[in-house]
Amino acid sequence: CDLTAIPIANASMLDQATSAAEAMTLALRVGKSKSKKFMVADDVLPQMIRVIQTRAQPLGIEVCTPHAAYLACKDEYKRSMLGRIVGVSVDTRGNPAYRLALQTREQHIRREKATSNICTAQVLPAVVASMYAVYHGPIGLKRIAQRIATYTAILAKGLENAGVVVANASGFDTVVINTHEHTLSILQEAITDGFNLRRASSTSVGISLDETTTRDDIDRLWQLFIKDKSAQSQWHSFEKGMTTSIPHQLERTSAYLTHPVFHSHHIETNMLRYIRSLSDKDLALDRSMIPLGSCTMKLNATSEMIPITWPEFANIHPFSPVDQLQSYAMLDQQLRQWLCQATGYAGISL
């Protein structure tokens, strides 16, 4: 709520594309318009658009095209909102207590109207995302964002200085480059050099940066597009005083992450102690039997913390080329076979 400046939010969505799709169905439920047309900006990432289209089709919604898995809306729409929402209540002794105020997605609440239950396996990524914000705080998050936006502007400026045509005049983390008839060859050369670039169109390529991007990455990206080595861009020629490409009218001016917890745990030891203090308050399988039907507390095992730290698991992009996903396909197939053997079912979908 701090980050979006909207009164109510949840973090039970599967990913950002799923959040976008749920926002569409929320708008359909609470909106007064009878129209079933849903507008999506044409520069939204393709995986988000495709998930929205998949969800829209059985609902009869027409999708028209000209971030962490969160969804936020006005307080008056909270009973139409998906996911788990935690509220503050008062216990029998008059003390403040936190409780699950709404669980509209759960099967026993919506019965036959429930389309899915994706909260279960996603509490771990939600906790990771929230702890990321706790550790970095508002100043740290702003610094990370400014670095990404500055690197993006430097990448674009270096390309323009060498005569490469950059299609977007503004942006945060993405540069779109007009590549004309060289699109496919550039995409293939990028893969050979260790980059997956986005084919924005038949004549353009998109590059998105993040907090892991380095100067070396920028240099190698320049080399993909600037074949004349004498025209190679140099950092020192324009990096000082470099401004971002974010339009001034879109810059955030209000305060965010104002809760004291986002200002208190920026040292690793303090962060570790804070997380331990939270776990000490938890009712979990390592302390007692859980009598309630809380699938989330039962199914997020300690062992899940191991693979999310492996780049081979954590750093793959869902739209990576198929030939880069063979190990994932093997794991998927193997697990489905095991589950079919255990249950006697003819087929299982993951």
Side-chain angles (χ1 to χ4, degrees), residues 97-247:
Y98 292 97
R99 62 182 176 82
L100 287 174
L102 291 173
Q103 285 182 233
T104 56
R105 182 173 273 286
E106 300 298 336
Q107 294 283 356
H108 61 276
I109 298 294
R110 298 188 67 186
R111 297 185 177 89
E112 75 283 353
K113 294 182 181 179
T115 54
S116 64
N117 186 336
I118 59 174
C119 312
T120 300
Q122 287 307 305
V123 68
L124 180 56
V127 170
V128 171
S130 63
M131 291 300 106
Y132 186 87
V134 169
Y135 183 68
H136 291 289
I139 296 176
L141 288 184
K142 184 175 182 179
R143 183 171 58 247
I144 291 169
Q146 285 177 328
R147 179 183 180 274
I148 295 170
T150 302
Y151 270 29
T152 304
I154 288 174
L155 172 62
K157 184 68 173 177
L159 292 170
E160 290 174 338
N161 282 359
V164 178
V165 178
V166 175
N168 55 315
S170 62
F172 167 60
D173 61 355
T174 300
V175 176
V176 177
I177 301 155
N178 290 338
T179 47
H180 307 293
E181 69 274 12
H182 304 295
T183 301
L184 292 180
S185 61
I186 287 176
L187 290 172
Q188 186 55 53
E189 188 178 343
I191 290 175
T192 303
D193 200 29
F195 294 107
N196 284 327
L197 305 185
R198 180 165 66 94
R199 185 180 179 183
S201 72
S202 60
T203 58
S204 62
V205 168
I207 304 175
S208 293
L209 309 184
D210 62 19
E211 64 265 44
T212 68
T213 302
T214 65
R215 287 182 170 222
D216 179 62
D217 292 330
I218 302 294
D219 287 330
R220 290 163 59 202
L221 287 168
W222 277 334
Q223 292 170 15
L224 283 174
F225 296 92
I226 306 172
K227 302 307 180 184
D228 181 4
K229 302 306 179 185
S230 63
Q232 280 285 349
S233 296
Q234 300 294 325
W235 283 83
H236 61 78
S237 61
F238 54 81
E239 66 172 320
K240 290 185 178 179
M242 189 71 188
T243 57
T244 71
S245 300
I246 301 174

Side-chain angles (χ1 to χ4, degrees), residues 52-101:
I52 290 172
Q53 290 170 333
T54 300
R55 186 66 62 84
Q57 186 176 5
L59 298 175
I61 299 173
E62 179 185 353
V63 177
C64 306
T65 56
H67 153 309
Y70 302 93
L71 190 156
C73 69
K74 292 183 178 179
D75 186 71
E76 62 191 271
Y77 298 150
K78 63 187 176 185
R79 294 203 170 274
S80 293
M81 194 179 194
L82 284 305
R84 297 186 171 118
I85 299 174
V86 178
V88 179
S89 185
V90 178
D91 65 17
T92 55
R93 299 178 181 177
N95 298 318
Y98 292 97
R99 62 182 176 82
L100 287 174

